[in-house]
mmCIF file of all heavy atoms in Angstrom:
data_model
loop_
_atom_site.group_PDB
_atom_site.id
_atom_site.type_symbol
_atom_site.label_atom_id
_atom_site.label_comp_id
_atom_site.label_asym_id
_atom_site.label_seq_id
_atom_site.Cartn_x
_atom_site.Cartn_y
_atom_site.Cartn_z
ATOM 1 N N PHE A 1 1.946 1.875 1.233
ATOM 2 C CA PHE A 1 2.079 1.682 2.774
ATOM 3 C C PHE A 1 2.049 3.045 3.277
ATOM 4 O O PHE A 1 2.421 4.057 2.874
ATOM 5 C CB PHE A 1 3.459 1.092 2.935
ATOM 6 C CG PHE A 1 3.664 -0.199 2.456
ATOM 7 C CD1 PHE A 1 4.519 -0.435 1.307
ATOM 8 C CD2 PHE A 1 3.074 -1.421 2.922
ATOM 9 C CE1 PHE A 1 4.675 -1.750 0.851
ATOM 10 C CE2 PHE A 1 3.271 -2.644 2.479
ATOM 11 C CZ PHE A 1 4.092 -2.739 1.396
ATOM 12 N N ALA A 2 1.384 3.102 4.533
ATOM 13 C CA ALA A 2 1.273 4.350 5.247
ATOM 14 C C ALA A 2 2.647 4.595 5.848
ATOM 15 O O ALA A 2 3.439 3.746 6.041
ATOM 16 C CB ALA A 2 0.239 4.025 6.484
ATOM 17 N N PRO A 3 2.890 5.890 6.204
ATOM 18 C CA PRO A 3 4.159 6.215 6.767
ATOM 19 C C PRO A 3 4.430 5.408 8.050
ATOM 20 O O PRO A 3 3.452 5.229 8.879
ATOM 21 C CB PRO A 3 3.996 7.682 7.101
ATOM 22 C CG PRO A 3 2.964 8.159 6.199
ATOM 23 C CD PRO A 3 2.014 7.036 5.926
ATOM 24 N N ARG A 4 5.608 4.974 8.278
ATOM 25 C CA ARG A 4 6.043 4.237 9.596
ATOM 26 C C ARG A 4 7.396 4.620 9.902
ATOM 27 O O ARG A 4 8.262 4.974 9.135
ATOM 28 C CB ARG A 4 5.926 2.654 9.276
ATOM 29 C CG ARG A 4 6.779 2.141 8.208
ATOM 30 C CD ARG A 4 6.106 0.908 7.753
ATOM 31 N NE ARG A 4 4.879 1.087 7.058
ATOM 32 C CZ ARG A 4 4.035 0.076 6.869
ATOM 33 N NH1 ARG A 4 4.258 -1.129 7.371
ATOM 34 N NH2 ARG A 4 2.870 0.360 6.317
ATOM 35 N N GLU A 5 7.772 4.285 11.196
ATOM 36 C CA GLU A 5 9.064 4.587 11.679
ATOM 37 C C GLU A 5 10.010 3.393 11.503
ATOM 38 O O GLU A 5 11.332 3.670 11.687
ATOM 39 C CB GLU A 5 8.952 5.011 13.170
ATOM 40 C CG GLU A 5 8.208 6.397 13.416
ATOM 41 C CD GLU A 5 8.192 6.772 14.777
ATOM 42 O OE1 GLU A 5 8.931 6.136 15.593
ATOM 43 O OE2 GLU A 5 7.516 7.690 15.141
ATOM 44 N N THR A 6 9.554 2.315 11.362
ATOM 45 C CA THR A 6 10.339 1.093 11.320
ATOM 46 C C THR A 6 10.455 0.429 9.875
ATOM 47 O O THR A 6 9.288 0.253 9.378
ATOM 48 C CB THR A 6 9.971 0.056 12.299
ATOM 49 O OG1 THR A 6 8.667 -0.396 12.189
ATOM 50 C CG2 THR A 6 10.243 0.560 13.760
ATOM 51 N N GLY A 7 11.463 0.154 9.304
ATOM 52 C CA GLY A 7 11.533 -0.490 7.981
ATOM 53 C C GLY A 7 12.854 -1.198 7.989
ATOM 54 O O GLY A 7 13.492 -1.321 9.033
ATOM 55 N N PRO A 8 13.266 -1.802 6.858
ATOM 56 C CA PRO A 8 12.587 -1.802 5.549
ATOM 57 C C PRO A 8 11.417 -2.699 5.513
ATOM 58 O O PRO A 8 11.196 -3.590 6.514
ATOM 59 C CB PRO A 8 13.744 -2.394 4.750
ATOM 60 C CG PRO A 8 14.964 -2.181 5.371
ATOM 61 C CD PRO A 8 14.608 -2.390 6.831
ATOM 62 N N ILE A 9 10.596 -2.561 4.592
ATOM 63 C CA ILE A 9 9.261 -3.091 4.425
ATOM 64 C C ILE A 9 9.285 -4.292 3.453
ATOM 65 O O ILE A 9 9.806 -4.083 2.327
ATOM 66 C CB ILE A 9 8.157 -2.154 3.930
ATOM 67 C CG1 ILE A 9 8.150 -0.885 4.717
ATOM 68 C CG2 ILE A 9 6.833 -2.811 3.824
ATOM 69 C CD1 ILE A 9 7.361 0.272 4.186
ATOM 70 N N PRO A 10 9.102 -5.496 3.890
ATOM 71 C CA PRO A 10 9.290 -6.687 3.012
ATOM 72 C C PRO A 10 7.836 -6.723 2.108
ATOM 73 O O PRO A 10 6.800 -6.204 2.384
ATOM 74 C CB PRO A 10 9.270 -7.861 3.995
ATOM 75 C CG PRO A 10 8.425 -7.390 5.131
ATOM 76 C CD PRO A 10 8.706 -5.940 5.316
ATOM 77 N N PRO A 11 8.073 -7.596 0.970
ATOM 78 C CA PRO A 11 6.836 -7.676 0.138
ATOM 79 C C PRO A 11 5.629 -8.397 0.734
ATOM 80 O O PRO A 11 4.580 -8.240 0.252
ATOM 81 C CB PRO A 11 7.403 -8.635 -0.988
ATOM 82 C CG PRO A 11 8.850 -8.549 -0.950
ATOM 83 C CD PRO A 11 9.191 -8.259 0.525
ATOM 84 N N THR A 12 5.786 -9.040 1.876
ATOM 85 C CA THR A 12 4.778 -9.742 2.573
ATOM 86 C C THR A 12 3.955 -8.855 3.448
ATOM 87 O O THR A 12 2.982 -9.175 4.033
ATOM 88 C CB THR A 12 5.375 -10.902 3.374
ATOM 89 O OG1 THR A 12 6.337 -10.357 4.272
ATOM 90 C CG2 THR A 12 5.861 -12.110 2.514
ATOM 91 N N ALA A 13 4.413 -7.623 3.656
ATOM 92 C CA ALA A 13 3.707 -6.678 4.543
ATOM 93 C C ALA A 13 2.266 -6.369 3.801
ATOM 94 O O ALA A 13 2.252 -6.233 2.646
ATOM 95 C CB ALA A 13 4.588 -5.253 4.696
ATOM 96 N N THR A 14 1.418 -6.129 4.665
ATOM 97 C CA THR A 14 -0.023 -5.796 4.269
ATOM 98 C C THR A 14 -0.052 -4.282 3.881
ATOM 99 O O THR A 14 0.129 -3.438 4.759
ATOM 100 C CB THR A 14 -1.092 -6.098 5.333
ATOM 101 O OG1 THR A 14 -0.841 -7.530 5.506
ATOM 102 C CG2 THR A 14 -2.372 -5.723 4.720
ATOM 103 N N PRO A 15 -0.377 -3.942 2.638
ATOM 104 C CA PRO A 15 -0.648 -2.419 2.261
ATOM 105 C C PRO A 15 -1.753 -1.839 3.249
ATOM 106 O O PRO A 15 -2.641 -2.424 3.481
ATOM 107 C CB PRO A 15 -1.045 -2.452 0.769
ATOM 108 C CG PRO A 15 -0.496 -3.770 0.251
ATOM 109 C CD PRO A 15 -0.491 -4.721 1.432
ATOM 110 N N ASP A 16 -1.310 -0.610 3.853
ATOM 111 C CA ASP A 16 -2.166 0.080 4.696
ATOM 112 C C ASP A 16 -2.369 1.501 4.466
ATOM 113 O O ASP A 16 -2.879 2.227 5.383
ATOM 114 C CB ASP A 16 -1.674 -0.144 6.166
ATOM 115 C CG ASP A 16 -0.323 0.237 6.301
ATOM 116 O OD1 ASP A 16 0.401 0.638 5.359
ATOM 117 O OD2 ASP A 16 0.236 0.029 7.410
ATOM 118 N N ALA A 17 -2.097 2.013 3.184
ATOM 119 C CA ALA A 17 -2.082 3.395 2.989
ATOM 120 C C ALA A 17 -3.619 3.697 3.011
ATOM 121 O O ALA A 17 -4.510 3.067 2.662
ATOM 122 C CB ALA A 17 -1.573 3.802 1.707
ATOM 123 N N THR A 18 -3.845 4.991 3.544
ATOM 124 C CA THR A 18 -5.234 5.553 3.536
ATOM 125 C C THR A 18 -5.458 6.859 2.826
ATOM 126 O O THR A 18 -6.640 7.274 2.582
ATOM 127 C CB THR A 18 -5.694 5.786 5.053
ATOM 128 O OG1 THR A 18 -4.755 6.723 5.689
ATOM 129 C CG2 THR A 18 -5.582 4.561 5.778
ATOM 130 N N ASP A 19 -4.373 7.308 2.187
ATOM 131 C CA ASP A 19 -4.507 8.462 1.322
ATOM 132 C C ASP A 19 -4.950 8.158 0.000
ATOM 133 O O ASP A 19 -5.035 6.940 -0.331
ATOM 134 C CB ASP A 19 -3.129 9.204 1.218
ATOM 135 C CG ASP A 19 -2.016 8.384 0.575
ATOM 136 O OD1 ASP A 19 -1.632 7.427 1.184
ATOM 137 O OD2 ASP A 19 -1.807 8.650 -0.674
ATOM 138 N N ASP A 20 -5.474 9.136 -0.816
ATOM 139 C CA ASP A 20 -6.036 8.676 -2.132
ATOM 140 C C ASP A 20 -5.270 8.064 -3.073
ATOM 141 O O ASP A 20 -5.448 7.096 -3.626
ATOM 142 C CB ASP A 20 -6.549 10.128 -2.813
ATOM 143 C CG ASP A 20 -7.747 10.679 -2.110
ATOM 144 O OD1 ASP A 20 -8.395 10.089 -1.170
ATOM 145 O OD2 ASP A 20 -8.066 11.908 -2.256
ATOM 146 N N TYR A 21 -3.874 8.444 -3.127
ATOM 147 C CA TYR A 21 -2.967 7.821 -4.093
ATOM 148 C C TYR A 21 -2.768 6.334 -3.616
ATOM 149 O O TYR A 21 -2.684 5.533 -4.495
ATOM 150 C CB TYR A 21 -1.720 8.645 -4.469
ATOM 151 C CG TYR A 21 -0.778 8.122 -5.301
ATOM 152 C CD1 TYR A 21 -1.139 8.161 -6.623
ATOM 153 C CD2 TYR A 21 0.386 7.469 -5.025
ATOM 154 C CE1 TYR A 21 -0.245 7.602 -7.717
ATOM 155 C CE2 TYR A 21 1.132 6.819 -5.885
ATOM 156 C CZ TYR A 21 0.934 6.890 -7.192
ATOM 157 O OH TYR A 21 1.706 6.411 -8.059
ATOM 158 N N GLY A 22 -2.411 6.355 -2.326
ATOM 159 C CA GLY A 22 -2.055 5.087 -1.887
ATOM 160 C C GLY A 22 -3.250 4.022 -1.986
ATOM 161 O O GLY A 22 -3.072 2.849 -2.397
ATOM 162 N N ARG A 23 -4.353 4.502 -1.867
ATOM 163 C CA ARG A 23 -5.498 3.583 -1.909
ATOM 164 C C ARG A 23 -5.754 3.126 -3.334
ATOM 165 O O ARG A 23 -6.204 2.043 -3.663
ATOM 166 C CB ARG A 23 -6.803 4.223 -1.334
ATOM 167 C CG ARG A 23 -6.659 4.354 0.243
ATOM 168 C CD ARG A 23 -7.759 5.274 0.772
ATOM 169 N NE ARG A 23 -9.149 4.706 0.565
ATOM 170 C CZ ARG A 23 -10.324 5.265 0.808
ATOM 171 N NH1 ARG A 23 -10.229 6.465 1.287
ATOM 172 N NH2 ARG A 23 -11.440 4.773 0.536
ATOM 173 N N TYR A 24 -5.580 4.215 -4.284
ATOM 174 C CA TYR A 24 -5.616 3.961 -5.822
ATOM 175 C C TYR A 24 -4.681 2.877 -6.220
ATOM 176 O O TYR A 24 -5.105 1.856 -6.919
ATOM 177 C CB TYR A 24 -5.430 5.318 -6.473
ATOM 178 C CG TYR A 24 -4.926 5.123 -7.892
ATOM 179 C CD1 TYR A 24 -5.750 4.716 -8.902
ATOM 180 C CD2 TYR A 24 -3.636 5.399 -8.224
ATOM 181 C CE1 TYR A 24 -5.265 4.612 -10.243
ATOM 182 C CE2 TYR A 24 -3.134 5.385 -9.495
ATOM 183 C CZ TYR A 24 -3.976 4.828 -10.521
ATOM 184 O OH TYR A 24 -3.518 4.711 -11.805
ATOM 185 N N LYS A 25 -3.470 2.937 -5.727
ATOM 186 C CA LYS A 25 -2.460 1.878 -6.096
ATOM 187 C C LYS A 25 -2.824 0.573 -5.499
ATOM 188 O O LYS A 25 -2.683 -0.492 -6.008
ATOM 189 C CB LYS A 25 -1.143 2.339 -5.649
ATOM 190 C CG LYS A 25 -0.488 3.330 -6.594
ATOM 191 C CD LYS A 25 -0.157 2.739 -7.988
ATOM 192 C CE LYS A 25 0.653 3.537 -8.782
ATOM 193 N NZ LYS A 25 0.881 2.859 -10.160
ATOM 194 N N ARG A 26 -3.366 0.577 -4.332
ATOM 195 C CA ARG A 26 -3.778 -0.686 -3.646
ATOM 196 C C ARG A 26 -4.842 -1.319 -4.424
ATOM 197 O O ARG A 26 -4.860 -2.622 -4.674
ATOM 198 C CB ARG A 26 -4.265 -0.442 -2.155
ATOM 199 C CG ARG A 26 -3.285 -0.126 -1.185
ATOM 200 C CD ARG A 26 -3.859 0.237 0.272
ATOM 201 N NE ARG A 26 -4.622 -0.824 0.795
ATOM 202 C CZ ARG A 26 -5.324 -0.779 1.836
ATOM 203 N NH1 ARG A 26 -5.367 0.427 2.540
ATOM 204 N NH2 ARG A 26 -5.933 -1.744 2.358
ATOM 205 N N ARG A 27 -5.861 -0.555 -4.882
ATOM 206 C CA ARG A 27 -6.984 -1.077 -5.631
ATOM 207 C C ARG A 27 -6.382 -1.629 -7.000
ATOM 208 O O ARG A 27 -6.997 -2.769 -7.415
ATOM 209 C CB ARG A 27 -8.033 -0.171 -5.865
ATOM 210 C CG ARG A 27 -8.790 0.262 -4.581
ATOM 211 C CD ARG A 27 -10.080 1.113 -4.844
ATOM 212 N NE ARG A 27 -9.802 2.322 -5.674
ATOM 213 C CZ ARG A 27 -9.553 3.443 -5.031
ATOM 214 N NH1 ARG A 27 -9.656 3.561 -3.621
ATOM 215 N NH2 ARG A 27 -9.355 4.604 -5.667
ATOM 216 N N ALA A 28 -5.533 -0.989 -7.498
ATOM 217 C CA ALA A 28 -5.059 -1.376 -8.875
ATOM 218 C C ALA A 28 -4.239 -2.653 -8.739
ATOM 219 O O ALA A 28 -4.344 -3.588 -9.560
ATOM 220 C CB ALA A 28 -4.119 -0.330 -9.504
ATOM 221 N N GLU A 29 -3.524 -2.706 -7.712
ATOM 222 C CA GLU A 29 -2.765 -4.002 -7.501
ATOM 223 C C GLU A 29 -3.623 -5.260 -7.316
ATOM 224 O O GLU A 29 -3.489 -6.165 -7.817
ATOM 225 C CB GLU A 29 -2.016 -3.928 -6.146
ATOM 226 C CG GLU A 29 -0.528 -3.253 -6.274
ATOM 227 C CD GLU A 29 0.221 -3.416 -4.996
ATOM 228 O OE1 GLU A 29 -0.152 -4.262 -4.149
ATOM 229 O OE2 GLU A 29 1.192 -2.722 -4.933
ATOM 230 N N ALA A 30 -4.739 -5.030 -6.472
ATOM 231 C CA ALA A 30 -5.745 -6.121 -6.288
ATOM 232 C C ALA A 30 -6.340 -6.625 -7.631
ATOM 233 O O ALA A 30 -6.628 -7.716 -7.844
ATOM 234 C CB ALA A 30 -6.675 -5.636 -5.296
ATOM 235 N N LEU A 31 -6.615 -5.568 -8.479
ATOM 236 C CA LEU A 31 -7.282 -5.852 -9.732
ATOM 237 C C LEU A 31 -6.299 -6.729 -10.573
ATOM 238 O O LEU A 31 -6.712 -7.653 -11.208
ATOM 239 C CB LEU A 31 -7.763 -4.667 -10.442
ATOM 240 C CG LEU A 31 -8.903 -3.891 -10.016
ATOM 241 C CD1 LEU A 31 -9.099 -2.597 -10.706
ATOM 242 C CD2 LEU A 31 -10.161 -4.811 -10.241
ATOM 243 N N VAL A 32 -5.049 -6.378 -10.668
ATOM 244 C CA VAL A 32 -4.071 -7.078 -11.381
ATOM 245 C C VAL A 32 -3.906 -8.520 -10.889
ATOM 246 O O VAL A 32 -3.873 -9.497 -11.725
ATOM 247 C CB VAL A 32 -2.759 -6.329 -11.444
ATOM 248 C CG1 VAL A 32 -1.636 -7.156 -12.106
ATOM 249 C CG2 VAL A 32 -2.847 -4.999 -12.145
ATOM 250 N N ARG A 33 -3.756 -8.519 -9.553
ATOM 251 C CA ARG A 33 -3.487 -9.828 -8.901
ATOM 252 C C ARG A 33 -4.720 -10.727 -9.162
ATOM 253 O O ARG A 33 -4.513 -12.053 -9.286
ATOM 254 C CB ARG A 33 -3.273 -9.639 -7.391
ATOM 255 C CG ARG A 33 -2.548 -10.744 -6.728
ATOM 256 C CD ARG A 33 -2.216 -10.285 -5.294
ATOM 257 N NE ARG A 33 -1.100 -9.350 -5.262
ATOM 258 C CZ ARG A 33 -1.129 -8.044 -4.893
ATOM 259 N NH1 ARG A 33 -2.461 -7.526 -4.453
ATOM 260 N NH2 ARG A 33 0.003 -7.339 -4.830
#
């Protein structure tokens, strides 16, 4: 998830990170799923 001012973040939230590590984790999640 990208930094945000409002939380907590539920599991249903759409991952939106744009940094390298966040995008890496997003891709890995998608492959597993």
